[in-house]
Amino acid sequence: MKQSRSNSWLNGDRWLERLLRLAAAMSGCLTLLIVAFVFWQALPALRDPGVARFVSDSVWRPTDETAPQFGMTPMLVGSGLVTLGAVLLATPLALFSVIVAEFYSSRTLAWLLRRVLELLNGVPSVVFGFWGLVVLVPLINAWHPPGQSLLAGILVLTLMLIPTVALATDASLRAVPNELYRSAAALGIGRGAVVWKLAVPLARRGMVAGVLLGAARAVGETMAIVIVCGNIVQMPDSLFDPVRTITANIALEMGYATSGHRAALFATGLLLMLTSSLFVAGAGLLRRRRGRR
Amino acid sequence: MRSQPRSAAADALTRTAGWAAVFVVLAVSGWLVGSVLGHGLQEVSWSFLTSEPLDAGRNGGIGTVLVSTALVLSVCLGIAVPLGVGAAVWLSEFARPSSRPVALIRRSLDLLASVPSIVFGLFGMVVFCQELRLGFSIAAGGLTLACMILPLVVQTTFAGLRSVPDELRLGAAALAISRSTALRHLLLPAALHGVVVGVMLGLGRAAAETAALIFTSGYVTRMPESLLDSGRTVSVHIYDLAMNVPGGEARAYASAAVLLCLLLIVNVAAAVLADRWLRHQTARVS
């Protein structure tokens, strides 16, 4: 009697475990599935025209029936410039705001700043894009037409990256042990030196990890960019020229793309996945090492 | 002695630059939220929230769009929550923590979290719309979003379960309580905060998403009759008004204000819950 009851319990547990293991296995396989499907769809383009022609072709004319052209260098440059610009602007803004919150301000202001950053983190990218279109683009247009430009993309993206970089930096600054600050205070070391000689070097890995996460977000960002960048496939000569990024290109053309064109778009999707996973893996590596130390 | 003035100069410089940065961040954030809510909320009324979009969205409301959004989010959470919580429970309670499958699954979920949302859109379009023949539909959009938020749900639930003290597990084992009973009555209730925070954050991310939906759930503004109908979400509606509809600005502002308010509620709720949970944890430790 007792035996059979414990058996039925065990069976219940065993079924539950099977079910849960299935859920875990499915979750684990999803990544593989995504990579496999995107790769499978991109394969025709990787064979013909092949990756080399993505760079060597001079224009992007994938729908041309006789001689399709797959030059996406301007879009690669567009993605790179937008990402680089936004990271360069967002990093100091995020770093200095966090330093103020941590070392220079009252608790209330630090609290307010953190809440604002969290709020900004939750704003949908399409709202950033729309705001950029109706507020920033007209301002840039008044300064230097046409308005929808590389600059507009960089500014909107900067705003989106600030919370990502700042929240990661804040977390790593807070992880610096308090005793070190007390010792520094006991030695009469000034605040400026505490910030730049103690806190920032100790939190450096976490900060770089935050910047890498920001870069990953920037590379993959689509909606805000497609709305404010103007989307003309060209090498930008200045900050005021419209550009098209890889992500914007997918969003704009996937709706009507077929065969070779479609495969080329999937190949760019594969490239996006690769780039952003490299950034994220780099961030993860830095964080793990910091944990070990 | 010589370092004293230099340090003071560094201090002053840092302070000035820092306050400038804080001012820029606060001012621009306020500008963004203020202008969206300021322009948008005047347009929002009961009839705006309940009526159908007319004239490609230039007139009318967003009633049907809200219904589609709710359906897409329900499909998304209906798939991602059981799957994600189940996976997290297995990883935390059944598998050996340092075993190979656990490391592999967690690594692969980290990788999944890094995939750009437009790539989820591509994947969803091929797998759900074409291979599984769901077409442009609410079901396909919801499934795509479920894939996107799955890592978030797994990670927060896992963290919640890991924060439950081992005494509870040992006590349950000592009393010969079966693992399923222990899970239902002890571990999951103790980890509930983590689960709820994960679901809320996932909901926030899914509601904010546009890029993964434009090729999966589509643009149709009619009232959806089933999950296999196409339906546009609020974020897709804003995108379409901003990009393709000249003169759609006022309605786009109003839709953006509605979306922003919804997300504000979801995210603040998640933050408050997480904060309370943290305080609860520290109170127990000390």
Side-chain angles (χ1 to χ4, degrees):
Chain A
M1 183 63 196
K2 204 177 159 195
Q3 192 61 35
S4 76
R5 251 179 75 194
S6 77
N7 261 345
S8 74
W9 277 354
L10 269 181
N11 279 340
D13 272 4
R14 201 179 299 156
W15 275 106
L16 180 73
E17 212 231 306
R18 279 185 194 152
L19 205 67
L20 295 176
R21 199 195 306 163
L22 184 71
M26 279 169 71
S27 313
C29 289
L30 190 56
T31 316
L32 209 63
L33 207 65
I34 290 184
V35 175
F37 265 100
V38 175
F39 184 74
W40 173 52
Q41 294 290 315
L43 203 58
L46 297 177
R47 285 213 190 102
D48 174 48
V51 179
R53 273 189 57 200
F54 290 160
V55 198
S56 66
D57 280 7
S58 53
V59 289
W60 173 254
R61 210 179 294 133
T63 48
D64 194 314
E65 284 184 4
T66 47
Q69 298 279 304
F70 294 95
M72 48 179 82
T73 320
M75 293 187 277
L76 292 172
V77 170
S79 278
L81 286 177
V82 169
T83 303
L84 190 71
V87 166
L88 285 181
L89 279 180
T91 304
L93 279 171
L95 176 62
F96 276 100
S97 333
V98 169
I99 285 177
V100 164
E102 199 75 10
F103 297 100
Y104 288 85
S105 74
S106 64
R107 271 169 180 242
T108 330
L109 192 107
W111 180 87
L112 178 76
L113 191 66
R114 282 194 190 103
R115 292 294 93 81
V116 167
L117 288 171
E118 280 165 10
L119 169 87
L120 209 56
N121 206 17
V123 173
S125 52
V126 69
V127 172
F128 277 110
F130 173 67
W131 178 79
L133 184 72
V134 292
V135 174
L136 281 185
V137 167
L139 289 177
I140 297 173
N141 181 39
W143 180 20
H144 198 305
Q148 288 191 323
S149 57
L150 179 58
L151 180 65
I154 289 176
L155 291 178
V156 169
L157 203 51
T158 300
L159 203 52
M160 300 177 68
L161 296 195
I162 287 172
T164 312
V165 181
L167 293 172
T169 307
D170 191 39
S172 62
L173 272 182
R174 281 180 174 205
V176 173
N178 253 329
E179 295 89 70
L180 292 177
Y181 293 133
R182 277 190 226 120
S183 318
L187 292 170
I189 296 172
R191 194 165 43 177
V194 168
V195 170
W196 294 110
K197 299 271 163 66
L198 181 69
V200 170
L202 279 174
R204 201 183 54 217
R205 278 181 194 283
M207 289 176 187
V208 177
V211 172
L212 285 175
L213 288 180
R217 190 172 175 194
V219 166
E221 179 49 44
T222 311
M223 284 357 264
I225 296 294
V226 81
I227 296 176
V228 299
C229 276
N231 301 319
I232 295 173
V233 187
Q234 61 172 10
M235 273 304 184
D237 286 328
S238 78
L239 280 172
F240 300 101
D241 281 352
V243 290
R244 182 186 288 197
T245 64
I246 293 287
T247 48
N249 189 47
I250 298 178
L252 290 167
E253 297 191 348
M254 192 41 95
Y256 63 86
T258 51
S259 62
H261 180 197
R262 196 180 124 119
L265 293 181
F266 271 91
T268 59
L270 205 59
L271 175 72
L272 282 176
M273 210 160 32
L274 196 72
T275 323
S276 88
S277 67
L278 278 179
F279 283 136
V280 173
L285 212 65
L286 283 171
R287 285 190 167 162
R288 263 197 293 284
R289 259 201 223 152
R290 189 174 54 122
R292 206 175 289 153
R293 192 180 56 190
Chain B
M1 235 358 3
R2 224 192 66 198
S3 79
Q4 208 63 5
R6 248 175 62 198
S7 171
D11 189 48
L13 212 67
T14 311
R15 193 199 335 238
T16 318
W19 282 107
V22 169
F23 176 77
V24 169
V25 171
L26 290 182
V28 180
S29 311
W31 189 13
L32 185 142
V33 174
S35 70
V36 169
L37 292 185
H39 284 100
L41 285 180
Q42 343 166 343
E43 299 272 327
V44 176
S45 63
W46 181 246
S47 72
F48 176 76
L49 292 175
T50 51
S51 62
E52 202 171 332
L54 299 170
D55 194 13
R58 286 185 198 90
N59 289 306
I62 53 167
T64 52
V65 175
L66 285 177
V67 172
S68 300
T69 310
L71 289 175
V72 169
L73 294 178
S74 313
V75 173
C76 163
L77 291 184
I79 303 288
V81 171
L83 195 63
V85 172
V89 168
W90 188 79
L91 289 172
S92 157
E93 304 302 321
F94 288 90
R96 268 178 294 128
S98 55
S99 66
R100 226 185 147 73
V102 173
L104 262 171
I105 290 175
R106 296 196 64 200
R107 199 62 65 78
S108 121
L109 284 170
D110 285 348
L111 195 65
L112 192 63
S114 78
V115 174
S117 58
I118 186 101
V119 177
F120 279 104
L122 291 178
F123 169 76
M125 186 184 83
V126 177
V127 174
F128 301 126
C129 299
Q130 291 167 4
E131 297 299 318
L132 294 179
R133 296 176 202 286
L134 292 172
F136 281 161
S137 65
I138 288 169
L143 285 166
T144 308
L145 290 187
C147 298
M148 196 181 85
I149 67 163
L150 186 69
L152 199 61
V153 176
V154 177
Q155 279 155 2
T156 42
T157 308
F158 185 80
L161 281 166
R162 285 286 90 196
S163 73
V164 175
D166 263 343
E167 285 85 29
L168 278 183
R169 294 182 184 92
L170 297 174
L175 293 170
I177 296 173
S178 76
R179 297 182 96 173
S180 39
T181 314
L183 259 175
R184 214 174 74 206
H185 294 288
L186 284 173
L187 300 175
L188 280 179
L192 191 66
H193 276 94
V195 181
V196 174
V197 170
V199 170
M200 296 292 248
L201 290 176
L203 181 64
R205 260 199 78 189
E209 188 49 48
T210 315
L213 290 176
I214 47 179
F215 306 120
T216 52
S217 65
Y219 285 91
V220 173
T221 54
R222 256 180 294 115
M223 180 62 89
E225 280 163 12
S226 80
L227 293 182
L228 293 177
D229 278 356
S230 165
R232 65 163 74 170
T233 65
V234 181
S235 48
V236 174
H237 190 55
I238 299 167
Y239 169 64
D240 194 49
L241 287 178
M243 285 292 280
N244 306 328
V245 182
E249 199 175 290
R251 293 297 186 221
Y253 259 129
S255 313
V258 170
L259 183 61
L260 211 54
C261 289
L262 285 176
L263 284 169
L264 215 63
I265 294 169
V266 170
N267 289 334
V268 167
V272 168
L273 275 173
D275 201 43
R276 254 202 217 158
W277 177 39
L278 207 68
R279 221 169 279 164
H280 176 72
Q281 294 286 319
T282 42
R284 198 163 54 194
V285 169
S286 57

